[in-house]
Amino acid sequence: MTDTNLTAILYKKGDIKLEDKPIPEPGPGEVQLCMQQVGICGSDVHYWQHGSIGDFVVKAPMILGHEASALVSKLGEGVTTLKVGDRVAIEPGVPCRTCHYCKSGRYNLCADMKFCATPPYDGNLSRFYVHAADFCFKLPDNVSFEEGALLEPLSVGVHACNRGGVTLGSRVLICGAGPIGLVNLLTARANGASEVCITDIDESRLEVAKTLGATYTLKVTSRDPQEVAKQVENIMGDKAEITIECSGATPSIQTAIYATQSGGCVVLVGLGQADVTMPIVNASVREVDIRGIFRYVNCYPTALAMVASGKVDVKPLITHRFSLEDSIKAFETTLRGEGIKVMIKCAR
């Protein structure tokens, strides 16, 4: 363990710096964490390149990172569920716990959510970090720190498949084979989906999807959503029962609706333009439900169980590894679109 706290800080659009910061002390109900692994998410890169995502604007220096695992290094007052030395995955959002949404079990919708690396709250791409103890999940011995960090994106897949109703025998279309599309693929298969078709504009990502269990893959070359939907239908033999849209691209969202059977469900996961033109009458007259998701809620235990039991193998998603000292190189690699998931080792 080290007595310095090297930290990756986004000062403004395009400006990441590595600096030593004071080691934070845990308050009541919190634990100090010696960070181990942090994955780079598309949102981290977006804040770096654009300085904002929707209404969330970087107005002050912000520590990056939210896909993380750690070793408990100190306990705050009143913490009894963890002990020093515990290996944990960190659910990055801490809600107020008292509002209507929190009490009804939908804490992801809490207006006072404090989410890592979402302005104005700092993330955890550092040597040391402090977090609420009840949003840290113990890792079994057979789950690595890298796998623990990947519980964050996997939880998105769990929530999306829950919202869409993916279950035994479901026939699923996933639009977009990036990291989030791939964790939805893994989750859909683990939930018992009998067929999963996945689309993308990148053939290399589709090749990865095949190795992870995709029944069918489709490289999108047409800009006509109805034509792509017809191609999906031809491949699957019918329209999909459930479509999970992970790209956020307007044509792909349109395809998702056209490619979903009457009475089916479209889950919108990818975030693109604030205003999108959709064939809403087509969806309405065919009773196609359109549902959004926001992160995840009560999904970390499920995601952890999926990995610990061997039902889901997230390890193939990691294609690049860097040290904390090389964080800027890690971000540049992600920006170039190389590989799938870039992982940063924070511990020395």
Side-chain angles (χ1 to χ4, degrees):
M1 195 172 290
T2 176
D3 58 358
T4 63
N5 188 25
L6 188 64
T7 302
I9 305 171
L10 176 64
Y11 273 84
K12 59 183 178 180
K13 183 172 74 172
D15 184 17
I16 298 176
K17 288 184 172 66
L18 290 170
E19 295 182 2
D20 271 325
K21 302 287 287 184
I23 296 176
E25 292 293 320
E30 296 180 332
V31 287
Q32 181 194 78
L33 299 168
C34 179
M35 300 303 298
Q36 299 295 309
Q37 298 285 342
V38 177
I40 296 180
C41 173
S43 66
D44 294 315
V45 175
H46 201 279
Y47 281 123
W48 171 40
Q49 290 297 298
H50 302 281
S52 64
I53 296 178
D55 293 334
F56 297 106
V57 180
V58 179
K59 298 178 180 178
M62 179 183 78
I63 300 171
L64 293 163
H66 64 269
E67 301 178 359
S69 62
L71 200 64
V72 176
S73 50
K74 189 177 288 188
L75 304 180
E77 180 185 347
V79 175
T80 59
T81 55
L82 296 170
K83 64 182 185 299
V84 172
D86 278 345
R87 303 163 63 252
V88 297
I90 305 166
E91 181 171 348
V94 179
C96 76
R97 304 178 179 83
T98 59
C99 71
H100 163 73
Y101 295 108
C102 287
K103 289 187 173 182
S104 64
R106 302 186 73 179
Y107 63 81
N108 59 321
L109 304 180
C110 173
D112 293 323
M113 172 70 76
K114 296 176 174 61
F115 198 91
C116 289
T118 298
Y121 304 108
D122 283 328
N124 47 34
L125 185 49
S126 56
R127 294 257 195 257
F128 290 93
Y129 171 70
V130 162
H131 199 68
D134 55 330
F135 282 85
C136 294
F137 295 83
K138 290 184 187 179
L139 296 176
D141 291 342
N142 68 320
V143 177
S144 69
F145 282 121
E146 288 188 340
E147 291 171 300
L150 286 173
L151 295 186
E152 200 280 338
L154 184 59
S155 291
V156 176
V158 171
H159 189 40
C161 286
N162 286 346
R163 290 278 286 161
V166 178
T167 187
L168 193 65
S170 296
R171 299 173 62 257
V172 179
L173 168 64
I174 297 173
C175 300
I180 294 300
L182 294 176
V183 293
N184 272 280
L185 165 62
L186 291 171
T187 306
R189 296 303 303 219
N191 281 12
S194 59
E195 298 175 42
V196 181
C197 178
I198 189 163
T199 67
D200 204 278
I201 59 175
D202 187 328
E203 185 64 45
S204 64
R205 289 188 167 186
L206 294 176
E207 290 298 323
V208 174
K210 289 178 185 176
T211 68
L212 295 179
T215 318
Y216 315 105
T217 61
L218 173 64
K219 183 177 181 181
V220 177
T221 57
S222 172
R223 297 185 64 84
D224 181 349
Q226 294 190 66
E227 171 60 27
V228 177
K230 189 64 178 176
Q231 292 172 2
V232 170
E233 188 174 347
N234 289 339
I235 290 173
M236 299 187 73
D238 199 354
K239 294 181 185 294
E241 295 172 348
I242 301 159
T243 298
I244 302 175
E245 207 299 307
C246 300
S247 75
T250 298
S252 187
I253 295 171
Q254 295 166 348
T255 293
I257 293 172
Y258 289 128
T260 303
Q261 71 179 29
S262 298
C265 181
V266 173
V267 182
L268 301 179
V269 181
L271 298 177
Q273 294 177 321
D275 296 307
V276 174
T277 300
M278 293 190 292
I280 200 69
V281 172
N282 178 284
S284 180
V285 299
R286 297 193 300 113
E287 296 192 359
V288 174
D289 293 343
I290 301 173
R291 297 182 177 181
I293 74 161
F294 188 55
R295 297 170 180 151
Y296 36 75
V297 60
N298 299 309
C299 293
Y300 255 69
T302 300
L304 178 55
M306 289 163 63
V307 173
S309 67
K311 292 290 184 183
V312 166
D313 182 8
V314 292
K315 294 188 293 292
L317 297 177
I318 304 171
T319 54
H320 294 73
R321 293 172 172 88
F322 292 87
S323 66
L324 181 58
E325 289 83 354
D326 287 330
S327 292
I328 294 174
K329 290 182 181 178
F331 273 86
E332 290 170 344
T333 299
T334 308
L335 179 63
R336 290 193 297 268
E338 297 178 15
I340 300 171
K341 179 58 66 176
V342 174
M343 194 67 65
I344 297 174
K345 182 179 179 181
C346 295
R348 289 189 175 180

